[in-house]
Each structure stands twice: as structure tokens, then as C-alpha cells.
Amino acid sequence: QVQLVESGGGLVQAGGSLRLSCAASGRTFSRGVMGWFRQAPGKEREFVTAIMWDSGQTYYADFVKGRFTISRDNAKNTVNLQMNSLKPEDTAVYSCAAVTLAIASLSDYDSPRRYNYWGQGTQVTVSS
């Protein structure tokens, strides 16, 4: 049974930092892609970032470039999202997603439809 479990959410002041983690179990994603999406109240889910597991290639939404960094830990089968310079508009539920086999360019993985597995989400709240 595949599980993606996020951790690290919380409340932070604007300008602060948080580090989210997504631990994968049940199968390997060594040939796949893992991504992060977020959804704020009343808004649609939006893409944040993705990483190609084998190459480490990364792709970011424009609104997080230079502030967020995605990375993977092969030994722990975990993907991390370091979020710096947080803004109130970053407030959302952040969810990680995974697909076991990458069959397209990384930029194509900005769509939720590309992913097979999802975590339950973790709340990030940024106060002004």
C-alpha cells in the first residue's frame, strides 16, 4: 500500500521559513516524479514545484522561484520543501503527490492529473 505522509506545516509570521517533508512508503519512486501542490480556501489547487527523482531536475511555479526549494533524500525516500520568505498569500494546505514513472517533460507535471498518489496535506498559515 502506497502512502505519502506530509509533515512540517504550521503557523509562521510573514518573512519566516518552514520546511515540509513528504515521506513515501509502499513503493519506490526512483523513476518517477514527486510534486507539491497547494490549495487555499475558496481557490483551486495550484502547482508549486516538482522534482524528477532520478536526475534531481526541478521545476517551480513562478510565484515561488527564489523562495522555495524542493529536494529529495534517497536514503529516506523523502521529498522536502524548504519555504523561505513566506508571505500571507502562501497560506494553504500543501499536499505532496507522486507518480511512479515519468513519461513526459518535468514541466508537464504541473497538472494534478499527472499524479497517481497523494498525501493528506499539511496546513501552512502565514500571518501578516
PDB file of all heavy atoms in Angstrom, residues 54-67:
ATOM      1  N   ASP A  54      15.150  10.638 -10.341  1.00  0.00           N
ATOM      2  CA  ASP A  54      16.456  10.077 -10.684  1.00  0.00           C
ATOM      3  C   ASP A  54      17.490  11.164 -11.000  1.00  0.00           C
ATOM      4  O   ASP A  54      18.637  11.062 -10.589  1.00  0.00           O
ATOM      5  CB  ASP A  54      16.347   9.084 -11.847  1.00  0.00           C
ATOM      6  CG  ASP A  54      15.710   9.679 -13.086  1.00  0.00           C
ATOM      7  OD1 ASP A  54      15.301  10.858 -13.044  1.00  0.00           O
ATOM      8  OD2 ASP A  54      15.612   8.969 -14.095  1.00  0.00           O
ATOM      9  N   SER A  55      17.082  12.219 -11.698  1.00  0.00           N
ATOM     10  CA  SER A  55      18.045  13.239 -12.106  1.00  0.00           C
ATOM     11  C   SER A  55      18.160  14.382 -11.110  1.00  0.00           C
ATOM     12  O   SER A  55      19.160  15.106 -11.102  1.00  0.00           O
ATOM     13  CB  SER A  55      17.662  13.815 -13.468  1.00  0.00           C
ATOM     14  OG  SER A  55      16.453  14.548 -13.379  1.00  0.00           O
ATOM     15  N   GLY A  56      17.118  14.571 -10.296  1.00  0.00           N
ATOM     16  CA  GLY A  56      17.098  15.717  -9.395  1.00  0.00           C
ATOM     17  C   GLY A  56      16.672  17.002 -10.066  1.00  0.00           C
ATOM     18  O   GLY A  56      16.686  18.064  -9.429  1.00  0.00           O
ATOM     19  N   GLN A  57      16.295  16.914 -11.339  1.00  0.00           N
ATOM     20  CA  GLN A  57      15.817  18.111 -12.042  1.00  0.00           C
ATOM     21  C   GLN A  57      14.599  18.663 -11.321  1.00  0.00           C
ATOM     22  O   GLN A  57      13.743  17.905 -10.874  1.00  0.00           O
ATOM     23  CB  GLN A  57      15.457  17.753 -13.479  1.00  0.00           C
ATOM     24  CG  GLN A  57      14.966  18.917 -14.324  1.00  0.00           C
ATOM     25  CD  GLN A  57      14.470  18.479 -15.687  1.00  0.00           C
ATOM     26  OE1 GLN A  57      14.484  17.283 -16.009  1.00  0.00           O
ATOM     27  NE2 GLN A  57      14.018  19.425 -16.480  1.00  0.00           N
ATOM     28  N   THR A  58      14.518  19.981 -11.240  1.00  0.00           N
ATOM     29  CA  THR A  58      13.418  20.617 -10.522  1.00  0.00           C
ATOM     30  C   THR A  58      12.679  21.605 -11.415  1.00  0.00           C
ATOM     31  O   THR A  58      13.225  22.106 -12.415  1.00  0.00           O
ATOM     32  CB  THR A  58      13.932  21.352  -9.281  1.00  0.00           C
ATOM     33  OG1 THR A  58      14.903  22.337  -9.684  1.00  0.00           O
ATOM     34  CG2 THR A  58      14.556  20.397  -8.296  1.00  0.00           C
ATOM     35  N   TYR A  59      11.456  21.888 -11.027  1.00  0.00           N
ATOM     36  CA  TYR A  59      10.608  22.818 -11.775  1.00  0.00           C
ATOM     37  C   TYR A  59       9.737  23.553 -10.763  1.00  0.00           C
ATOM     38  O   TYR A  59       9.185  22.922  -9.853  1.00  0.00           O
ATOM     39  CB  TYR A  59       9.756  22.039 -12.773  1.00  0.00           C
ATOM     40  CG  TYR A  59       8.823  22.876 -13.606  1.00  0.00           C
ATOM     41  CD1 TYR A  59       9.315  23.857 -14.452  1.00  0.00           C
ATOM     42  CD2 TYR A  59       7.445  22.678 -13.566  1.00  0.00           C
ATOM     43  CE1 TYR A  59       8.456  24.625 -15.226  1.00  0.00           C
ATOM     44  CE2 TYR A  59       6.583  23.437 -14.338  1.00  0.00           C
ATOM     45  CZ  TYR A  59       7.094  24.400 -15.165  1.00  0.00           C
ATOM     46  OH  TYR A  59       6.247  25.156 -15.935  1.00  0.00           O
ATOM     47  N   TYR A  60       9.630  24.874 -10.925  1.00  0.00           N
ATOM     48  CA  TYR A  60       8.913  25.684  -9.950  1.00  0.00           C
ATOM     49  C   TYR A  60       7.864  26.553 -10.617  1.00  0.00           C
ATOM     50  O   TYR A  60       8.048  27.047 -11.731  1.00  0.00           O
ATOM     51  CB  TYR A  60       9.893  26.612  -9.210  1.00  0.00           C
ATOM     52  CG  TYR A  60      10.905  25.899  -8.356  1.00  0.00           C
ATOM     53  CD1 TYR A  60      12.150  25.545  -8.861  1.00  0.00           C
ATOM     54  CD2 TYR A  60      10.611  25.567  -7.034  1.00  0.00           C
ATOM     55  CE1 TYR A  60      13.086  24.891  -8.072  1.00  0.00           C
ATOM     56  CE2 TYR A  60      11.546  24.912  -6.239  1.00  0.00           C
ATOM     57  CZ  TYR A  60      12.773  24.578  -6.773  1.00  0.00           C
ATOM     58  OH  TYR A  60      13.679  23.925  -5.977  1.00  0.00           O
ATOM     59  N   ALA A  61       6.790  26.789  -9.878  1.00  0.00           N
ATOM     60  CA  ALA A  61       5.845  27.810 -10.284  1.00  0.00           C
ATOM     61  C   ALA A  61       6.526  29.173 -10.131  1.00  0.00           C
ATOM     62  O   ALA A  61       7.371  29.361  -9.246  1.00  0.00           O
ATOM     63  CB  ALA A  61       4.589  27.750  -9.420  1.00  0.00           C
ATOM     64  N   ASP A  62       6.157  30.112 -10.983  1.00  0.00           N
ATOM     65  CA  ASP A  62       6.820  31.417 -10.961  1.00  0.00           C
ATOM     66  C   ASP A  62       6.726  32.099  -9.608  1.00  0.00           C
ATOM     67  O   ASP A  62       7.663  32.784  -9.177  1.00  0.00           O
ATOM     68  CB  ASP A  62       6.227  32.327 -12.051  1.00  0.00           C
ATOM     69  CG  ASP A  62       6.663  31.913 -13.447  1.00  0.00           C
ATOM     70  OD1 ASP A  62       7.651  31.170 -13.561  1.00  0.00           O
ATOM     71  OD2 ASP A  62       5.999  32.327 -14.410  1.00  0.00           O
ATOM     72  N   PHE A  63       5.615  31.915  -8.922  1.00  0.00           N
ATOM     73  CA  PHE A  63       5.398  32.669  -7.694  1.00  0.00           C
ATOM     74  C   PHE A  63       6.243  32.157  -6.525  1.00  0.00           C
ATOM     75  O   PHE A  63       6.253  32.775  -5.455  1.00  0.00           O
ATOM     76  CB  PHE A  63       3.914  32.698  -7.306  1.00  0.00           C
ATOM     77  CG  PHE A  63       3.284  31.346  -7.131  1.00  0.00           C
ATOM     78  CD1 PHE A  63       3.446  30.620  -5.970  1.00  0.00           C
ATOM     79  CD2 PHE A  63       2.514  30.800  -8.141  1.00  0.00           C
ATOM     80  CE1 PHE A  63       2.867  29.378  -5.814  1.00  0.00           C
ATOM     81  CE2 PHE A  63       1.923  29.560  -8.004  1.00  0.00           C
ATOM     82  CZ  PHE A  63       2.102  28.844  -6.829  1.00  0.00           C
ATOM     83  N   VAL A  64       6.953  31.044  -6.685  1.00  0.00           N
ATOM     84  CA  VAL A  64       7.817  30.564  -5.601  1.00  0.00           C
ATOM     85  C   VAL A  64       9.295  30.540  -5.963  1.00  0.00           C
ATOM     86  O   VAL A  64      10.138  30.232  -5.121  1.00  0.00           O
ATOM     87  CB  VAL A  64       7.404  29.153  -5.111  1.00  0.00           C
ATOM     88  CG1 VAL A  64       5.972  29.178  -4.613  1.00  0.00           C
ATOM     89  CG2 VAL A  64       7.623  28.107  -6.193  1.00  0.00           C
ATOM     90  N   LYS A  65       9.605  30.891  -7.197  1.00  0.00           N
ATOM     91  CA  LYS A  65      11.001  30.876  -7.610  1.00  0.00           C
ATOM     92  C   LYS A  65      11.846  31.805  -6.733  1.00  0.00           C
ATOM     93  O   LYS A  65      11.479  32.938  -6.478  1.00  0.00           O
ATOM     94  CB  LYS A  65      11.125  31.293  -9.073  1.00  0.00           C
ATOM     95  CG  LYS A  65      10.701  30.214 -10.054  1.00  0.00           C
ATOM     96  CD  LYS A  65      10.870  30.677 -11.482  1.00  0.00           C
ATOM     97  CE  LYS A  65      10.438  29.601 -12.461  1.00  0.00           C
ATOM     98  NZ  LYS A  65      10.530  30.061 -13.865  1.00  0.00           N
ATOM     99  N   GLY A  66      12.969  31.281  -6.266  1.00  0.00           N
ATOM    100  CA  GLY A  66      13.853  32.060  -5.421  1.00  0.00           C
ATOM    101  C   GLY A  66      13.479  32.029  -3.956  1.00  0.00           C
ATOM    102  O   GLY A  66      14.258  32.474  -3.107  1.00  0.00           O
ATOM    103  N   ARG A  67      12.303  31.492  -3.627  1.00  0.00           N
ATOM    104  CA  ARG A  67      11.873  31.419  -2.220  1.00  0.00           C
ATOM    105  C   ARG A  67      11.779  29.987  -1.737  1.00  0.00           C
ATOM    106  O   ARG A  67      12.097  29.696  -0.585  1.00  0.00           O
ATOM    107  CB  ARG A  67      10.523  32.112  -2.047  1.00  0.00           C
ATOM    108  CG  ARG A  67      10.509  33.577  -2.403  1.00  0.00           C
ATOM    109  CD  ARG A  67       9.221  34.238  -1.953  1.00  0.00           C
ATOM    110  NE  ARG A  67       8.033  33.680  -2.590  1.00  0.00           N
ATOM    111  CZ  ARG A  67       6.978  33.215  -1.923  1.00  0.00           C
ATOM    112  NH1 ARG A  67       6.954  33.262  -0.600  1.00  0.00           N
ATOM    113  NH2 ARG A  67       5.933  32.738  -2.582  1.00  0.00           N
TER     114      ARG A  67
END
